[in-house]
Every structure is written in structure tokens, then in C-alpha cells.
């Protein structure tokens, strides 16, 4: 695997996860993320997980988290480069001996940071059962946004990963920051 | 009313609704980015069916993967079924999950908790 990555957003991953072993990266993508790219990337991820002969439940959890991350980027990412019409972001799947990491990121307008932080704080340090209650409440009371989001994404990914969710924001300029989120999925 | 058959794609399930038999099946992956647009005509089809349904209607859900946008729409499905039951129709939901897939079991259990319709969680294996 190439360890001399100099791509625009990869440096954010290095800062976010300083202990990253780049030789364990199964998949890295950055650029425009739309329906077709999402489908291609999740096809690759599915193939990687199958070839690693992971238990089906592990494959499904990693796959599901990747789908939600990519669909979140395709729906919600802001673009600091207005020449780009497709939502931009990055996604990384890392295969360690004991677990997988899924790391996803995209630019967001700084004024949206408080709302994103609120969604994340809502799921941090919650037990599996508390996440379940939260999920049911949001399922019953939430409404689908005009972007097709159900407000369930972070809750569902948190409970699928069964591990604490980490996130960070890196300032890009006065208007935008780069939002990154990391999920750990243990192998059984 | 004619049967509704929509073939599965990479990210949408197979839909097989047979109004003559009163058996409605949804199976496969449900991961469309915009679940609302995809399922709206199907929801309308079911509402129309319940204007003049069979004596008994059985819904078989056999979903491998579901994204959160679809989870929300599935609740709309279940709400229609719930309303049909309240109006005196005989309905039942079978929720199939792979025997090692505790996540899909949880999804079924959560729906069963929310709605008030006979709801059976049925495990199956790939060898079945």
C-alpha cells in the first residue's frame, strides 16, 4: 500500500489517527461521492470483507457503516471548492488484526458545526440499550429530511460498531472545517 | 388488482405482492439513497390494496441489509398495516432474519415493539 499519500484530505486522517498503520489500509478514496461511487466503493468493501472470510455479522456491520458514511457525505457535505458539483469527501477502511476502522470525512460550513456536535454528543457515552431507546424514539418521531436523511445515521452506526465513536473538526479556512468521524468494529 | 413484482437491484429489494393470495414479500437489500422516492409508489399500492383486501394478508420481510433511510420508510409500511388491523382486517407480519444476524433480529424486534400487529420473528439459515 502506498505510504506516501499526499492527497488533500489524507493528512487529516494522519492527524486524526496518529497511530495509523498505513500498510493495513484496505480501501482509501477521496473525491466526489455520489450514488455510483458509493455503490462501487461498497462493492469493493464487500469483496474485501468476503475475501478476508470475516464472520457474516462483521462483514455486514462494516458494510452498513460504510454505506451510511458515504450516503451522509453524498447528502450533507459542503464543498469549499464551488467548481465541484459532486459532494466531496473521503473514506478509509483499515483492517487490523483485531478490528476494522472506518474513517470518513467531508467539509462542512463552520456554522453547521454546533448541530453536528449535538448529534454526536447525543450518542457519545451511551450504552447499547440507551442507543436502542434513542433509535426507537428517533424512528417514531423523526421525519425524513428533504435530503432523504432520517436522523438515525449516527445512532445506527454507533450501535452497529459497539464501540465509542470519535470525531473531530479541522479548520480549513474562515468558512469551512473538515469533519471526520471514526468507527471501530471488532472482529469476533 | 394485479400482482406487483419489482426485481431486486444492488440496492433495492425484490418486491413480490400477490393480492390474490394476500401474501406480500420484500426480500434482499434496501439501501437506496432516497428511500422516500423509491418506496412512495409501493406504499400507495398497499394503501389501495387495503381498500379491498383479502381475508388475511401476510407480509414477509426478508431483508439482508437496510439503511436508515429505508428503516424510516419501513415504519410507514408497518403503520399502514397497523391501520388496516385497526380497521378490522386480518394481518400478520413475518420478519425473517439469518440465524447469525443479531442486528436484523434487533431491527425486527424494534418494529414489533412499535406497532400492534401479530409479528413473528423467524430465523433461517442459508442452508434452508
Amino acid at each position: 500500500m502506498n505510504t506516501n499519500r499526499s492527497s488533500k484530505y489524507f493528512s487529516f486522517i494522519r492527524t486524526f489517527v496518529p497511530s495509523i498503520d498505513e500498510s493495513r489500509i484496505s480501501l482509501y478514496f477521496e473525491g466526489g461521492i455520489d450514488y455510483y461511487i458509493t455503490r462501487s466503493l461498497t462493492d469493493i468493501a464487500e469483496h474485501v470483507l468476503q475475501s478476508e472470510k470475516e464472520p457474516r455479522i462483521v462483514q455486514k456491520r462494516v458494510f452498513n457503516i460504510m454505506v451510511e458514511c458515504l450516503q451522509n457525505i453524498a447528502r450533507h457535505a459542503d464543498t469549499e471548492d464551488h467548481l465541484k458539483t459532486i459532494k466531496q469527501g473521503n473514506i478509509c477502511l483499515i483492517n487490523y488484526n483485531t478490528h476494522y476502522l472506518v474513517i470518513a470525512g467531508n467539509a462542512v460550513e463552520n456554522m453547521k458545526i454546533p448541530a453536528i456536535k449535538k448529534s454526536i454528543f447525543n450518542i457519545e457515552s451511551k450504552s447499547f440499550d440507551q442507543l436502542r431507546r434513542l433509535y426507537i424514539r428517533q424512528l417514531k418521531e423523526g421525519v425524513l429530511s428533504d435530503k432523504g436523511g432520517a436522523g438515525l445515521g449516527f445512532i445506527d452506526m454507533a450501535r452497529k460498531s459497539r464501540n465509542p465513536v470519535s470525531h473531530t473538526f479541522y479548520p480549513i479556512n474562515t468558512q469551512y472545517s473538515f469533519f471526520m468521524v471514526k468507527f471501530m468494529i471488532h472482529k469476533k | 388488482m394485479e400482482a406487483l413484482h419489482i426485481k431486486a437491484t444492488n440496492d433495492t429489494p425484490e418486491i413480490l405482492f400477490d393480492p390474490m393470495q394476500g401474501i406480500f414479500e420484500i426480500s434482499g437489500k434496501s439501501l437506496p439513497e432516497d428511500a422516500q422516492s423509491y418506496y412512495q409508489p409501493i406504499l400507495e399500492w398497499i394503501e389501495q390494496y387495503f381498500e379491498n383486501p383479502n381475508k388475511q394478508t401476510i407480509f414477509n420481510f426478508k431483508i439482508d441489509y437496510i439503511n436508515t433511510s429505508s428503516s424510516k420508510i419501513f415504519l410507514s409500511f408497518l403503520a399502514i398495516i397497523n391501520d388496516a388491523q385497526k380497521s378490522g382486517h386480518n394481518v400478520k407480519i413475518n420478519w425473517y432474519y439469518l440465524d447469525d444476524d443479531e442486528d436484523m433480529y434487533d431491527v425486527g424486534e424494534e418494529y414489533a415493539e412499535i406497532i400492534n400487529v401479530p409479528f413473528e420473528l423467524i430465523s433461517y439459515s442459508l442452508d434452508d
Side-chain angles (χ1 to χ4, degrees), chain A residues 29-41:
Chain A
F29 178 86
E30 79 171 57
I33 293 178
D34 60 7
Y35 168 78
Y36 296 100
I37 296 289
T38 295
R39 205 170 118 176
S40 305
L41 292 173

Side-chain angles (χ1 to χ4, degrees), chain A residues 13-31:
Chain A
I13 290 190
R14 283 203 185 101
T15 314
F16 185 32
V17 189
S19 62
I20 189 170
D21 177 351
E22 293 180 32
S23 70
R24 308 303 300 252
I25 294 175
S26 298
L27 180 156
Y28 179 73
F29 178 86
E30 79 171 57

Side-chain angles (χ1 to χ4, degrees), chain A residues 69-70 73 90-92 102-106 178-182:
Chain A
C69 283
L70 291 163
I73 294 170
N90 69 350
I91 188 134
C92 188
V102 175
I103 304 166
N106 58 270
F178 199 77
F179 166 59
M180 303 214 74
V181 64
K182 182 181 80 175

Side-chain angles (χ1 to χ4, degrees), chain A residues 20-129:
Chain A
I20 189 170
D21 177 351
E22 293 180 32
S23 70
R24 308 303 300 252
I25 294 175
S26 298
L27 180 156
Y28 179 73
F29 178 86
E30 79 171 57
I33 293 178
D34 60 7
Y35 168 78
Y36 296 100
I37 296 289
T38 295
R39 205 170 118 176
S40 305
L41 292 173
T42 49
D43 278 352
I44 295 169
E46 198 171 22
H47 179 74
V48 166
L49 294 158
Q50 277 169 4
S51 62
E52 291 290 332
K53 299 197 172 14
E54 297 300 348
R56 205 161 43 213
I57 189 75
V58 175
Q59 292 184 32
K60 293 181 89 166
R61 284 178 181 155
V62 173
F63 180 88
N64 261 314
I65 287 171
M66 286 193 64
V67 169
E68 291 291 334
C69 283
L70 291 163
Q71 291 187 341
N72 265 348
I73 294 170
R75 269 192 207 111
H76 300 297
D78 294 317
T79 304
E80 77 271 29
D81 179 349
H82 293 287
L83 294 174
K84 299 215 165 94
T85 51
I86 299 176
K87 303 291 178 103
Q88 306 287 306
N90 69 350
I91 188 134
C92 188
L93 174 65
I94 313 173
N95 178 5
Y96 287 113
N97 288 336
T98 54
H99 61 276
Y100 284 93
L101 286 184
V102 175
I103 304 166
N106 58 270
V108 293
E109 286 180 31
N110 288 335
M111 63 180 186
K112 293 181 185 166
I113 291 177
I116 299 170
K117 279 189 172 165
K118 198 178 158 201
S119 299
I120 301 265
F121 290 154
N122 204 19
I123 56 167
E124 271 178 344
S125 352
K126 291 266 195 309
S127 69
F128 183 77
D129 200 50

Side-chain angles (χ1 to χ4, degrees), chain B residues 32-47:
Chain B
E33 207 168 285
D34 184 356
Q36 174 86 52
S37 308
Y38 180 75
Y39 282 110
Q40 191 56 41
I42 299 167
L43 292 171
E44 285 167 11
W45 193 98
I46 294 176
E47 279 176 335

